[in-house]
Amino acid sequence: MIATLAHRGPDQQGELGDEKVRLGFCRLAILDLSHAGDQPMRDETGEYCITLNGEVFNYVELREQLKANGHEFRSTSDSEVALKAYMEWGTDCFRKFRGMWALSIWDKPRNRVVFARDYFGIKPLYFCHRPEGLFWASEIKAFDAAFGPLEENRACAFDYVVYGLLDHTDQTLFKDVYQLRPGEMAVSTEGTRLQRQVYWNLETALPEQRGRVAETDAIDRFRSLLLRGIDISLRSDVPVWILLSGGLDSSSIVSIVRHLYPDRAINTISVVHEDPAINEFEYVEAVARHTNCRVEKITIDAGAWVEELDALVYHQDEPVPQTTAVNHWHLMKALRQQGVKVILSGQGIDEILYGYVPIFMGYLFADLFAQLRWRRLWKEMKAHRNLREDWPRMFQRDFLLRMLKGFVPSQTARAFRARYLDRSEALIRGAVLHETRRRRDAYAPPRLAGLDLMRNAGYRMLTAESIPQILHYEDRNSMAFSIEQRVPFLDPDIVSLVFSLPAGVIVRDGRSKWILREALRGILPEKVRVRLSKLGFSTPESQWVASKEFQTYVQDQRLDTVLTQSIVDSEHFALRVKRLVAGKTAYSPVFWRVYNYALWKKRFRL
């Protein structure tokens, strides 16, 4: 199992244990590069042992508290701090951590192993129960290597193919392989199953007096948390780079680092596109002039994307719902060639500050309509009309539909799309539809009581729809090339504050991320601060899937044969593909999902 995960930690491998418990680890050395930071790590008594994947960014402050309580340290690593924190505070320590981690602690005095995963699931942790006992790992392929071919979880495969859902529950596409959910901990004692409990969730973290805060106080508090979060995420004993796209999110990170450290050398990497329609380099240059940062320009050769699909699918463990993962794979490969080991990105801020304007503004309009706030509704609609040239088309296609959707339960909307728009449900064999119906009816997307439609849409994206999928493919892609990707915006204090604020502080006058723009006034270059356009990390997915190159690859891989032994009606799918290639039917993301599902089944011998 350990050798299978060597790409996640090529700097050191170790294992220890006895006849009952055994821990193994592959280390990517980032804090304390000496052998004192090697894992698995014991305390000085040998009674406690830890493996920690990721980083506890506030380890410096925690170490000072622990020293004051009499603890001594043999290393400068965060792993030793996490271990001593558990020894001092027990499982209450997890709520004190800030960062990204998945850990296991062997507590010999209590005859148990304790597991915990960070607040948003940035780092993974999987379990597999076997007759021999309980096994755990950072990637599912470790179980596959140890036990031979696993079995497919057809219900989760259905969720993926039909709805594009992944990591929305604790189940995986592999039968009897489960994951620890974000903000969860678990305890395993000899002869018992895992006892799981939630140690943190957003609902309990929100203050009781939501929205009752002065606007200036909210901005000041947000700025303070933002600066602190980014500051501690820079802690490393190897160079930290920043992924700079020129967008508001990544530009904010670079500008905050310069604000915090006027004399610090800042290394950034930017992807340069030849297509002027998606080239953001003018904004990158504006940030570079403002912060005097170093910009390393790279280009991504996505032309060879088909050749690396097998490696991508293998490292992902499960099929990915979108081709942005392909772009990210090539980006991580390019970063590794540059010698990058730690990278900061702006991931997560779009979901909590409603950066996806066509999605969230419709929900905002629905909220204002339902609240009978006609003046504010008219003001926001007029602001959007004045700010966006394509307002008539955008209103009819996006905002109006989203506003109507806001009044429909999300389960109903998802089922309607699968049945009548994407027609993805029609691709599933009848027997599988019947088999999975009970589970589909039982699953309800997460919802926070007392929050409006827009913020509940953001909550769904944060916990079940968007962020879990993005974190999944970004972790696997980055670690495939031994790179740690940090996402400082996904901080529990930042997220809790944002969800407690009124919508008008987040979205105002047609602009999303209003509080971020105001908080960074004077810190962020004005050209970027007032920017409205958002390009993202897009791919020509429809052209890729319909291309002769990809269809030849499909034939060479005999994916049509794989699909005959799957939940998909292979004949029906083949007819739809034929119409797609001939230009007789519109593209839907379900085409990519089915092909990726077939590649996954073949790669893992399912």
Side-chain angles (χ1 to χ4, degrees):
M1 291 178 67
I2 298 176
T4 307
L5 303 182
H7 54 276
R8 295 187 70 91
D11 297 327
Q12 175 257 332
Q13 294 182 17
E15 59 179 296
L16 57 80
D18 58 21
E19 68 281 357
K20 295 181 180 179
V21 178
R22 193 149 199 88
L23 305 181
F25 196 75
C26 300
R27 184 186 181 207
L28 185 65
I30 291 173
L31 290 171
D32 192 341
L33 308 185
S34 73
H35 288 299
D38 287 352
Q39 297 185 51
M41 178 184 290
R42 293 182 185 270
D43 77 307
E44 57 272 13
T45 68
E47 293 293 290
Y48 299 88
C49 179
I50 189 172
T51 60
L52 187 148
N53 171 29
E55 311 291 343
V56 177
F57 296 142
N58 63 331
Y59 73 101
V60 174
E61 294 78 7
L62 292 174
R63 184 170 57 196
E64 291 307 308
Q65 294 181 40
L66 292 165
K67 280 184 175 180
N69 290 349
H71 289 273
E72 297 180 353
F73 293 86
R74 296 175 293 177
S75 74
T76 58
S77 74
D78 61 322
S79 302
E80 187 177 12
V81 172
L83 181 60
K84 295 294 180 70
Y86 171 79
M87 294 166 61
E88 177 70 21
W89 297 301
T91 57
D92 289 340
C93 70
F94 303 136
R95 285 190 290 270
K96 298 177 181 289
F97 294 172
R98 293 295 179 269
M100 40 185 267
W101 74 89
L103 59 78
S104 63
I105 297 175
W106 182 14
D107 183 343
K108 294 178 73 173
R110 295 180 179 86
N111 190 32
R112 66 181 187 176
V113 180
V114 177
F115 307 92
R117 193 178 180 197
D118 65 67
Y119 306 96
F120 302 104
I122 303 169
K123 285 298 175 182
L125 183 56
Y126 295 98
F127 300 101
C128 182
H129 287 278
R130 303 281 297 183
E132 308 95 308
L134 173 69
F135 294 81
W136 64 93
S138 297
E139 295 182 11
I140 300 173
K141 64 177 64 64
F143 305 137
D144 181 75
F147 312 127
L150 302 171
E151 294 183 47
E152 178 181 353
N153 182 337
R154 288 156 66 98
C156 279
F158 178 95
D159 285 351
Y160 167 76
V161 172
V162 176
Y163 301 130
L165 292 173
L166 183 72
D167 286 341
H168 56 299
T169 71
D170 67 338
Q171 295 191 42
T172 72
L173 270 78
F174 293 91
K175 189 177 180 181
D176 298 325
V177 176
Y178 300 87
Q179 61 177 318
L180 200 61
R181 295 288 291 159
E184 273 191 351
M185 57 161 286
V187 176
S188 175
T189 55
E190 185 178 359
T192 67
R193 304 280 289 185
L194 277 176
Q195 299 173 342
R196 300 164 64 154
Q197 70 180 74
V198 174
Y199 71 83
W200 185 92
N201 61 40
L202 184 56
E203 185 171 14
T204 57
L206 290 176
E208 292 184 5
Q209 302 298 319
R210 301 174 191 173
R212 299 181 183 180
V213 59
E215 192 171 279
T216 55
D217 292 340
I219 294 171
D220 291 343
R221 176 64 175 158
F222 180 75
R223 183 192 304 110
S224 174
L225 291 175
L226 208 58
L227 266 59
R228 175 185 177 274
I230 291 175
D231 189 15
I232 62 175
S233 71
L234 294 170
R235 290 171 175 171
S236 171
D237 291 333
V238 300
V240 175
W241 292 67
I242 304 172
L243 186 59
L244 176 60
S245 68
L248 182 62
D249 311 336
S250 62
S251 300
S252 296
I253 295 177
V254 177
S255 299
I256 286 173
V257 174
R258 174 55 69 225
H259 175 76
L260 291 170
Y261 300 100
D263 301 320
R264 178 175 181 151
I266 302 176
N267 297 316
T268 70
I269 285 189
S270 296
V271 178
V272 179
H273 299 280
E274 294 182 0
D275 184 353
I278 58 174
N279 192 352
E280 301 181 272
F281 201 68
E282 64 172 296
Y283 298 101
V284 171
E285 291 178 318
V287 174
R289 288 193 299 269
H290 184 77
T291 64
N292 193 31
C293 67
R294 171 194 172 193
V295 178
E296 190 76 29
K297 295 184 288 185
I298 62 172
T299 57
I300 296 178
D301 179 18
W305 72 281
V306 170
E307 300 173 7
E308 303 214 32
L309 271 181
D310 185 67
L312 171 68
V313 170
Y314 171 72
H315 279 282
Q316 288 295 320
D317 282 337
E318 298 176 277
V320 292
Q322 50 196 332
T323 52
T324 50
V326 178
N327 258 3
H328 187 264
W329 170 273
H330 287 278
L331 173 60
M332 292 299 110
K333 183 178 181 179
L335 294 184
R336 189 56 183 169
Q337 292 169 351
Q338 295 284 338
V340 174
K341 199 171 187 179
V342 178
I343 189 86
L344 267 59
S345 81
Q347 202 61 263
I349 202 73
D350 280 320
E351 286 74 12
I352 65 173
L353 292 184
Y354 316 131
Y356 302 116
V357 171
I359 296 177
F360 286 115
M361 289 305 171
Y363 288 114
L364 174 64
F365 293 170
D367 283 327
L368 296 176
F369 184 88
Q371 297 162 9
L372 306 181
R373 299 175 64 185
W374 311 116
R375 183 176 298 178
R376 171 85 193 283
L377 175 60
W378 174 248
K379 180 182 178 182
E380 288 297 337
M381 292 175 65
K382 189 166 66 172
H384 280 284
R385 182 192 64 191
N386 294 336
L387 289 171
R388 292 172 175 84
E389 296 178 358
D390 60 345
W391 165 250
R393 178 181 62 84
M394 183 179 287
F395 176 74
Q396 294 176 33
R397 186 195 66 188
D398 293 321
F399 294 145
L400 185 59
L401 287 175
R402 295 286 178 181
M403 184 170 71
L404 294 174
K405 180 183 175 183
F407 296 106
V408 178
S410 56
Q411 302 101 306
T412 304
R414 186 173 59 243
F416 181 85
R417 170 173 287 278
R419 188 165 299 174
Y420 301 109
L421 300 181
D422 293 338
R423 295 189 297 119
S424 53
E425 191 173 285
L427 292 173
I428 304 301
R429 299 179 188 276
V432 178
L433 278 175
H434 178 74
E435 173 188 324
T436 59
R437 185 173 304 280
R438 180 177 298 177
R439 180 177 182 274
R440 284 181 283 135
D441 293 342
Y443 171 69
R447 179 177 177 81
L448 284 180
L451 291 188
D452 53 29
L453 296 171
M454 186 174 73
R455 280 178 288 187
N456 263 298
Y459 182 62
R460 288 197 304 275
M461 296 186 78
L462 180 69
T463 58
E465 296 176 1
S466 172
I467 283 296
Q469 297 177 10
I470 293 172
L471 294 176
H472 182 121
Y473 77 68
E474 289 195 347
D475 173 81
R476 306 314 184 277
N477 283 348
S478 59
M479 297 306 288
F481 296 100
S482 307
I483 296 172
E484 181 174 273
Q485 181 168 338
R486 299 178 176 181
V487 283
F489 289 130
L490 288 179
D491 176 277
D493 301 316
I494 294 174
V495 173
S496 299
L497 173 66
V498 167
F499 273 84
S500 71
L501 298 175
V505 179
I506 314 300
V507 178
R508 182 177 298 184
D509 299 332
R511 286 179 164 85
S512 65
K513 306 178 183 178
W514 185 84
I515 191 172
L516 177 65
R517 299 175 194 271
E518 290 301 306
L520 299 187
R521 187 184 290 271
I523 296 177
L524 195 63
E526 195 67 8
K527 179 183 179 71
V528 177
R529 194 184 73 84
V530 301
R531 182 185 177 188
L532 291 177
S533 59
K534 178 176 177 58
L535 300 181
F537 205 30
S538 59
T539 60
E541 184 174 301
S542 58
Q543 293 95 318
W544 279 6
V545 172
S547 68
K548 182 178 179 181
E549 179 186 20
F550 181 67
Q551 290 302 319
T552 300
Y553 174 80
V554 168
Q555 294 175 14
D556 293 342
Q557 296 291 317
R558 299 181 63 82
L559 297 187
D560 52 346
T561 302
V562 174
L563 289 175
T564 62
Q565 304 297 320
S566 75
I567 68 171
V568 174
D569 184 333
S570 56
E571 293 183 3
H572 186 179
F573 181 68
L575 289 175
R576 285 183 62 173
V577 171
K578 188 175 181 179
R579 289 179 58 82
L580 175 70
V581 174
K584 295 181 179 180
T585 190
Y587 178 78
S588 164
V590 72
F591 286 101
W592 164 258
R593 295 200 298 266
V594 170
Y595 280 133
N596 206 239
Y597 165 67
L599 284 168
W600 167 76
K601 282 180 68 69
K602 180 180 179 181
R603 185 63 181 81
F604 287 95
R605 312 177 307 288
L606 298 165

